[in-house]
Amino acid sequence: MCGRFVLFTSGDDLVGEVAGLPGIAEVQAPDGTPPPRYNIAPTQQVPLIRVADATARIDAARWGLLPTWKKDETGPPLFNARGETVAEKPSFRSAFKARRGLMVLDGYYEWKPTENGKQPYFVRPKEGMLYAAALWETGLDRLSTTMVTTEAAESMAWLHHRLPLFLREDEIRTWVNGSPEEALELVHPSRVADTLVWNEAAQEVGNIRNDYPELVGKAD
């Protein structure tokens, strides 16, 4: 699963990264891009990427899906969607059918139980950014999103049994614009997992009020 992540790429750098995706000729960011963040949590605003033809649009969205049938924001936030049931579960099936997008990350945090409590780790790609399969909705007149997860790939199972569905660049177009059947074929342990590296993160990341670069710890 993923319940906390990092996005320090911002401004023109973020727009440039998205513009470099296959088939993208134009990037629109009508509300700008968020400042660098080092401890993003569910219900907070995150950039959601939606693609139509050769245009990618970056908009602010609530991390925690609000289906159109929800009457209020009560209940646990739907910040992760299990890929194995995403096409059938009432909370997600409508969005999976027609409203698929991307969440972009520089890395994410995961906690591993130890004899002395839980140790947070910062997980990141060896290079570039991570593009996670996402769904979006407009319930309660708010743009909202959730991150799709699968079973962890073998290389990451030591840390947690779930992993975000990180897409390779050649899979992105199928996810955002393909048919539901084509998108569902991508729902398997991410092959991007083999490119991930990690290090111990600061314990202070457990408090969402903390948001500064030192939280990610130091790479080995």
Side-chain angles (χ1 to χ4, degrees):
M1 69 179 294
C2 178
R4 213 72 68 79
F5 73 92
V6 170
L7 179 61
F8 50 75
T9 301
S10 187
D12 291 342
D13 290 337
L14 179 57
V15 171
E17 286 284 345
V18 176
L21 295 177
I24 300 300
E26 179 184 6
V27 177
Q28 300 174 353
D31 298 321
T33 61
R37 295 286 309 282
Y38 294 88
N39 198 3
I40 301 171
T43 74
Q44 295 179 347
Q45 294 291 99
V46 299
L48 169 68
I49 301 171
R50 293 176 288 177
V51 179
D53 298 322
T55 300
R57 178 176 170 128
I58 305 174
D59 289 296
R62 176 190 191 266
W63 185 20
L65 202 69
L66 296 170
T68 54
W69 46 262
K70 275 193 72 76
K71 296 182 175 11
D72 53 48
E73 296 184 22
T74 59
L78 302 174
F79 60 92
N80 284 165
R82 291 179 65 91
E84 296 86 348
T85 57
V86 73
E88 293 87 25
K89 194 169 182 179
S91 296
F92 306 120
R93 63 190 178 194
S94 177
F96 175 74
K97 185 176 181 180
R99 292 179 291 280
R100 298 186 299 272
L102 304 168
M103 291 177 66
V104 61
L105 301 73
D106 282 302
Y108 71 99
Y109 298 106
E110 192 60 81
W111 279 258
K112 182 176 178 58
T114 69
E115 294 181 357
N116 300 316
K118 292 185 177 181
Q119 172 62 49
Y121 283 82
F122 177 56
V123 183
R124 64 195 187 282
K126 292 178 182 176
E127 58 182 23
M129 303 185 73
L130 295 168
Y131 291 89
L135 310 176
W136 60 272
E137 280 279 18
T138 55
L140 300 180
D141 295 322
R142 292 186 62 185
L143 183 61
S144 61
T145 188
T146 188
M147 188 181 298
V148 178
T149 68
T150 70
E151 290 186 1
E154 184 177 353
S155 60
M156 295 302 299
W158 68 273
L159 183 56
H160 197 277
H161 67 283
R162 304 292 296 177
L163 185 73
L165 176 53
F166 293 126
L167 300 169
R168 301 185 316 195
E169 287 195 356
D170 62 338
E171 296 174 326
I172 286 175
R173 181 64 65 170
T174 299
W175 175 259
V176 297
N177 294 140
S179 68
E181 293 76 18
E182 291 170 332
L184 199 58
E185 291 181 0
L186 299 177
V187 180
H188 51 68
S190 174
R191 285 170 283 189
V192 175
D194 290 338
T195 71
L196 299 177
V197 294
W198 53 85
N199 58 264
E200 292 186 355
Q203 290 289 346
E204 289 79 5
V205 74
N207 187 332
I208 62 173
R209 291 192 295 270
N210 295 327
D211 191 344
Y212 44 84
E214 290 77 13
L215 293 176
V216 303
K218 296 181 179 180
D220 295 334

PDB file of all heavy atoms in Angstrom, residues 28-51:
ATOM      1  N   GLN A  28      -0.846  21.160 -19.699  1.00  0.00           N
ATOM      2  CA  GLN A  28      -1.582  22.277 -19.119  1.00  0.00           C
ATOM      3  C   GLN A  28      -1.589  22.142 -17.604  1.00  0.00           C
ATOM      4  O   GLN A  28      -1.825  21.052 -17.077  1.00  0.00           O
ATOM      5  CB  GLN A  28      -3.023  22.301 -19.642  1.00  0.00           C
ATOM      6  CG  GLN A  28      -3.141  22.453 -21.152  1.00  0.00           C
ATOM      7  CD  GLN A  28      -4.570  22.336 -21.627  1.00  0.00           C
ATOM      8  OE1 GLN A  28      -5.483  22.020 -20.867  1.00  0.00           O
ATOM      9  NE2 GLN A  28      -4.788  22.583 -22.921  1.00  0.00           N
ATOM     10  N   ALA A  29      -1.328  23.232 -16.926  1.00  0.00           N
ATOM     11  CA  ALA A  29      -1.376  23.263 -15.460  1.00  0.00           C
ATOM     12  C   ALA A  29      -2.074  24.555 -15.060  1.00  0.00           C
ATOM     13  O   ALA A  29      -1.422  25.510 -14.619  1.00  0.00           O
ATOM     14  CB  ALA A  29       0.022  23.172 -14.864  1.00  0.00           C
ATOM     15  N   PRO A  30      -3.405  24.613 -15.220  1.00  0.00           N
ATOM     16  CA  PRO A  30      -4.137  25.872 -15.024  1.00  0.00           C
ATOM     17  C   PRO A  30      -4.008  26.452 -13.626  1.00  0.00           C
ATOM     18  O   PRO A  30      -4.106  27.669 -13.454  1.00  0.00           O
ATOM     19  CB  PRO A  30      -5.585  25.482 -15.344  1.00  0.00           C
ATOM     20  CG  PRO A  30      -5.630  23.997 -15.218  1.00  0.00           C
ATOM     21  CD  PRO A  30      -4.297  23.518 -15.626  1.00  0.00           C
ATOM     22  N   ASP A  31      -3.794  25.617 -12.626  1.00  0.00           N
ATOM     23  CA  ASP A  31      -3.649  26.108 -11.259  1.00  0.00           C
ATOM     24  C   ASP A  31      -2.202  26.086 -10.794  1.00  0.00           C
ATOM     25  O   ASP A  31      -1.919  26.185  -9.598  1.00  0.00           O
ATOM     26  CB  ASP A  31      -4.513  25.271 -10.309  1.00  0.00           C
ATOM     27  CG  ASP A  31      -5.990  25.378 -10.642  1.00  0.00           C
ATOM     28  OD1 ASP A  31      -6.427  26.497 -10.984  1.00  0.00           O
ATOM     29  OD2 ASP A  31      -6.695  24.364 -10.582  1.00  0.00           O
ATOM     30  N   GLY A  32      -1.272  25.938 -11.730  1.00  0.00           N
ATOM     31  CA  GLY A  32       0.130  25.846 -11.358  1.00  0.00           C
ATOM     32  C   GLY A  32       0.467  24.448 -10.848  1.00  0.00           C
ATOM     33  O   GLY A  32      -0.280  23.491 -11.033  1.00  0.00           O
ATOM     34  N   THR A  33       1.602  24.320 -10.178  1.00  0.00           N
ATOM     35  CA  THR A  33       2.023  23.047  -9.600  1.00  0.00           C
ATOM     36  C   THR A  33       2.298  23.255  -8.118  1.00  0.00           C
ATOM     37  O   THR A  33       2.567  24.372  -7.672  1.00  0.00           O
ATOM     38  CB  THR A  33       3.291  22.514 -10.289  1.00  0.00           C
ATOM     39  OG1 THR A  33       4.356  23.453 -10.114  1.00  0.00           O
ATOM     40  CG2 THR A  33       3.055  22.284 -11.777  1.00  0.00           C
ATOM     41  N   PRO A  34       2.228  22.193  -7.316  1.00  0.00           N
ATOM     42  CA  PRO A  34       2.428  22.347  -5.877  1.00  0.00           C
ATOM     43  C   PRO A  34       3.889  22.613  -5.538  1.00  0.00           C
ATOM     44  O   PRO A  34       4.787  22.259  -6.307  1.00  0.00           O
ATOM     45  CB  PRO A  34       1.971  21.005  -5.310  1.00  0.00           C
ATOM     46  CG  PRO A  34       2.229  20.039  -6.422  1.00  0.00           C
ATOM     47  CD  PRO A  34       1.933  20.798  -7.689  1.00  0.00           C
ATOM     48  N   PRO A  35       4.150  23.212  -4.386  1.00  0.00           N
ATOM     49  CA  PRO A  35       5.529  23.379  -3.931  1.00  0.00           C
ATOM     50  C   PRO A  35       6.098  22.022  -3.529  1.00  0.00           C
ATOM     51  O   PRO A  35       5.350  21.041  -3.391  1.00  0.00           O
ATOM     52  CB  PRO A  35       5.382  24.293  -2.714  1.00  0.00           C
ATOM     53  CG  PRO A  35       4.018  23.978  -2.179  1.00  0.00           C
ATOM     54  CD  PRO A  35       3.170  23.722  -3.394  1.00  0.00           C
ATOM     55  N   PRO A  36       7.400  21.921  -3.346  1.00  0.00           N
ATOM     56  CA  PRO A  36       7.987  20.654  -2.898  1.00  0.00           C
ATOM     57  C   PRO A  36       7.345  20.183  -1.591  1.00  0.00           C
ATOM     58  O   PRO A  36       7.149  20.976  -0.666  1.00  0.00           O
ATOM     59  CB  PRO A  36       9.468  20.996  -2.703  1.00  0.00           C
ATOM     60  CG  PRO A  36       9.698  22.146  -3.633  1.00  0.00           C
ATOM     61  CD  PRO A  36       8.439  22.944  -3.605  1.00  0.00           C
ATOM     62  N   ARG A  37       7.036  18.893  -1.534  1.00  0.00           N
ATOM     63  CA  ARG A  37       6.426  18.304  -0.343  1.00  0.00           C
ATOM     64  C   ARG A  37       7.182  17.025   0.009  1.00  0.00           C
ATOM     65  O   ARG A  37       7.556  16.251  -0.864  1.00  0.00           O
ATOM     66  CB  ARG A  37       4.957  17.970  -0.594  1.00  0.00           C
ATOM     67  CG  ARG A  37       4.053  19.181  -0.851  1.00  0.00           C
ATOM     68  CD  ARG A  37       3.779  19.961   0.411  1.00  0.00           C
ATOM     69  NE  ARG A  37       3.303  19.110   1.490  1.00  0.00           N
ATOM     70  CZ  ARG A  37       2.038  18.663   1.578  1.00  0.00           C
ATOM     71  NH1 ARG A  37       1.143  18.990   0.675  1.00  0.00           N
ATOM     72  NH2 ARG A  37       1.679  17.903   2.601  1.00  0.00           N
ATOM     73  N   TYR A  38       7.352  16.789   1.312  1.00  0.00           N
ATOM     74  CA  TYR A  38       8.134  15.635   1.762  1.00  0.00           C
ATOM     75  C   TYR A  38       7.357  14.704   2.679  1.00  0.00           C
ATOM     76  O   TYR A  38       7.932  13.759   3.214  1.00  0.00           O
ATOM     77  CB  TYR A  38       9.407  16.133   2.469  1.00  0.00           C
ATOM     78  CG  TYR A  38      10.341  16.836   1.524  1.00  0.00           C
ATOM     79  CD1 TYR A  38      10.225  18.201   1.287  1.00  0.00           C
ATOM     80  CD2 TYR A  38      11.317  16.132   0.828  1.00  0.00           C
ATOM     81  CE1 TYR A  38      11.061  18.848   0.398  1.00  0.00           C
ATOM     82  CE2 TYR A  38      12.166  16.769  -0.067  1.00  0.00           C
ATOM     83  CZ  TYR A  38      12.032  18.130  -0.277  1.00  0.00           C
ATOM     84  OH  TYR A  38      12.859  18.761  -1.178  1.00  0.00           O
ATOM     85  N   ASN A  39       6.052  14.942   2.824  1.00  0.00           N
ATOM     86  CA  ASN A  39       5.261  14.081   3.713  1.00  0.00           C
ATOM     87  C   ASN A  39       3.783  14.239   3.368  1.00  0.00           C
ATOM     88  O   ASN A  39       2.989  14.698   4.174  1.00  0.00           O
ATOM     89  CB  ASN A  39       5.519  14.449   5.175  1.00  0.00           C
ATOM     90  CG  ASN A  39       5.104  13.345   6.141  1.00  0.00           C
ATOM     91  OD1 ASN A  39       4.664  12.269   5.729  1.00  0.00           O
ATOM     92  ND2 ASN A  39       5.230  13.614   7.432  1.00  0.00           N
ATOM     93  N   ILE A  40       3.417  13.847   2.175  1.00  0.00           N
ATOM     94  CA  ILE A  40       2.049  14.001   1.689  1.00  0.00           C
ATOM     95  C   ILE A  40       1.196  12.855   2.215  1.00  0.00           C
ATOM     96  O   ILE A  40       1.567  11.683   2.096  1.00  0.00           O
ATOM     97  CB  ILE A  40       2.019  14.036   0.161  1.00  0.00           C
ATOM     98  CG1 ILE A  40       2.889  15.195  -0.359  1.00  0.00           C
ATOM     99  CG2 ILE A  40       0.593  14.177  -0.352  1.00  0.00           C
ATOM    100  CD1 ILE A  40       3.091  15.185  -1.861  1.00  0.00           C
ATOM    101  N   ALA A  41       0.040  13.194   2.776  1.00  0.00           N
ATOM    102  CA  ALA A  41      -0.831  12.211   3.420  1.00  0.00           C
ATOM    103  C   ALA A  41      -2.220  12.223   2.786  1.00  0.00           C
ATOM    104  O   ALA A  41      -2.605  13.193   2.125  1.00  0.00           O
ATOM    105  CB  ALA A  41      -0.936  12.518   4.923  1.00  0.00           C
ATOM    106  N   PRO A  42      -2.991  11.143   2.985  1.00  0.00           N
ATOM    107  CA  PRO A  42      -4.362  11.094   2.472  1.00  0.00           C
ATOM    108  C   PRO A  42      -5.195  12.281   2.936  1.00  0.00           C
ATOM    109  O   PRO A  42      -4.993  12.796   4.041  1.00  0.00           O
ATOM    110  CB  PRO A  42      -4.887   9.774   3.033  1.00  0.00           C
ATOM    111  CG  PRO A  42      -3.674   8.916   3.156  1.00  0.00           C
ATOM    112  CD  PRO A  42      -2.582   9.858   3.588  1.00  0.00           C
ATOM    113  N   THR A  43      -6.110  12.685   2.088  1.00  0.00           N
ATOM    114  CA  THR A  43      -7.042  13.819   2.178  1.00  0.00           C
ATOM    115  C   THR A  43      -6.371  15.144   1.827  1.00  0.00           C
ATOM    116  O   THR A  43      -7.051  16.144   1.670  1.00  0.00           O
ATOM    117  CB  THR A  43      -7.746  13.947   3.541  1.00  0.00           C
ATOM    118  OG1 THR A  43      -6.855  14.442   4.532  1.00  0.00           O
ATOM    119  CG2 THR A  43      -8.359  12.626   3.985  1.00  0.00           C
ATOM    120  N   GLN A  44      -5.041  15.160   1.671  1.00  0.00           N
ATOM    121  CA  GLN A  44      -4.373  16.371   1.235  1.00  0.00           C
ATOM    122  C   GLN A  44      -4.451  16.505  -0.288  1.00  0.00           C
ATOM    123  O   GLN A  44      -4.798  15.559  -0.993  1.00  0.00           O
ATOM    124  CB  GLN A  44      -2.919  16.380   1.709  1.00  0.00           C
ATOM    125  CG  GLN A  44      -2.781  16.444   3.216  1.00  0.00           C
ATOM    126  CD  GLN A  44      -1.339  16.438   3.687  1.00  0.00           C
ATOM    127  OE1 GLN A  44      -0.412  16.147   2.926  1.00  0.00           O
ATOM    128  NE2 GLN A  44      -1.123  16.757   4.948  1.00  0.00           N
ATOM    129  N   GLN A  45      -4.135  17.700  -0.784  1.00  0.00           N
ATOM    130  CA  GLN A  45      -4.174  17.950  -2.215  1.00  0.00           C
ATOM    131  C   GLN A  45      -2.914  17.411  -2.889  1.00  0.00           C
ATOM    132  O   GLN A  45      -1.797  17.603  -2.396  1.00  0.00           O
ATOM    133  CB  GLN A  45      -4.280  19.449  -2.490  1.00  0.00           C
ATOM    134  CG  GLN A  45      -5.591  20.069  -2.024  1.00  0.00           C
ATOM    135  CD  GLN A  45      -6.775  19.618  -2.834  1.00  0.00           C
ATOM    136  OE1 GLN A  45      -7.516  18.717  -2.431  1.00  0.00           O
ATOM    137  NE2 GLN A  45      -6.960  20.208  -3.993  1.00  0.00           N
ATOM    138  N   VAL A  46      -3.109  16.739  -4.020  1.00  0.00           N
ATOM    139  CA  VAL A  46      -1.994  16.186  -4.792  1.00  0.00           C
ATOM    140  C   VAL A  46      -2.227  16.514  -6.264  1.00  0.00           C
ATOM    141  O   VAL A  46      -3.361  16.762  -6.685  1.00  0.00           O
ATOM    142  CB  VAL A  46      -1.890  14.653  -4.606  1.00  0.00           C
ATOM    143  CG1 VAL A  46      -1.636  14.296  -3.153  1.00  0.00           C
ATOM    144  CG2 VAL A  46      -3.148  13.954  -5.116  1.00  0.00           C
ATOM    145  N   PRO A  47      -1.172  16.520  -7.072  1.00  0.00           N
ATOM    146  CA  PRO A  47      -1.370  16.739  -8.502  1.00  0.00           C
ATOM    147  C   PRO A  47      -1.857  15.462  -9.190  1.00  0.00           C
ATOM    148  O   PRO A  47      -1.272  14.391  -9.034  1.00  0.00           O
ATOM    149  CB  PRO A  47       0.017  17.142  -9.005  1.00  0.00           C
ATOM    150  CG  PRO A  47       0.961  16.548  -8.020  1.00  0.00           C
ATOM    151  CD  PRO A  47       0.258  16.517  -6.707  1.00  0.00           C
ATOM    152  N   LEU A  48      -2.939  15.590  -9.925  1.00  0.00           N
ATOM    153  CA  LEU A  48      -3.504  14.498 -10.707  1.00  0.00           C
ATOM    154  C   LEU A  48      -3.253  14.789 -12.180  1.00  0.00           C
ATOM    155  O   LEU A  48      -3.532  15.887 -12.652  1.00  0.00           O
ATOM    156  CB  LEU A  48      -5.004  14.387 -10.444  1.00  0.00           C
ATOM    157  CG  LEU A  48      -5.795  13.461 -11.382  1.00  0.00           C
ATOM    158  CD1 LEU A  48      -5.414  12.002 -11.165  1.00  0.00           C
ATOM    159  CD2 LEU A  48      -7.297  13.673 -11.185  1.00  0.00           C
ATOM    160  N   ILE A  49      -2.726  13.802 -12.887  1.00  0.00           N
ATOM    161  CA  ILE A  49      -2.457  13.956 -14.311  1.00  0.00           C
ATOM    162  C   ILE A  49      -3.510  13.196 -15.101  1.00  0.00           C
ATOM    163  O   ILE A  49      -3.712  11.996 -14.895  1.00  0.00           O
ATOM    164  CB  ILE A  49      -1.047  13.443 -14.671  1.00  0.00           C
ATOM    165  CG1 ILE A  49       0.017  14.212 -13.878  1.00  0.00           C
ATOM    166  CG2 ILE A  49      -0.793  13.576 -16.169  1.00  0.00           C
ATOM    167  CD1 ILE A  49       1.399  13.629 -14.011  1.00  0.00           C
ATOM    168  N   ARG A  50      -4.188  13.916 -15.998  1.00  0.00           N
ATOM    169  CA  ARG A  50      -5.159  13.293 -16.900  1.00  0.00           C
ATOM    170  C   ARG A  50      -4.726  13.564 -18.333  1.00  0.00           C
ATOM    171  O   ARG A  50      -4.227  14.646 -18.644  1.00  0.00           O
ATOM    172  CB  ARG A  50      -6.564  13.837 -16.637  1.00  0.00           C
ATOM    173  CG  ARG A  50      -7.094  13.416 -15.267  1.00  0.00           C
ATOM    174  CD  ARG A  50      -8.451  14.028 -14.974  1.00  0.00           C
ATOM    175  NE  ARG A  50      -8.356  15.460 -14.703  1.00  0.00           N
ATOM    176  CZ  ARG A  50      -9.411  16.238 -14.468  1.00  0.00           C
ATOM    177  NH1 ARG A  50     -10.629  15.725 -14.513  1.00  0.00           N
ATOM    178  NH2 ARG A  50      -9.245  17.526 -14.211  1.00  0.00           N
ATOM    179  N   VAL A  51      -4.906  12.580 -19.195  1.00  0.00           N
ATOM    180  CA  VAL A  51      -4.410  12.665 -20.566  1.00  0.00           C
ATOM    181  C   VAL A  51      -5.563  12.520 -21.547  1.00  0.00           C
ATOM    182  O   VAL A  51      -6.370  11.594 -21.442  1.00  0.00           O
ATOM    183  CB  VAL A  51      -3.351  11.581 -20.842  1.00  0.00           C
ATOM    184  CG1 VAL A  51      -2.857  11.676 -22.283  1.00  0.00           C
ATOM    185  CG2 VAL A  51      -2.176  11.709 -19.872  1.00  0.00           C
TER     186      VAL A  51
END
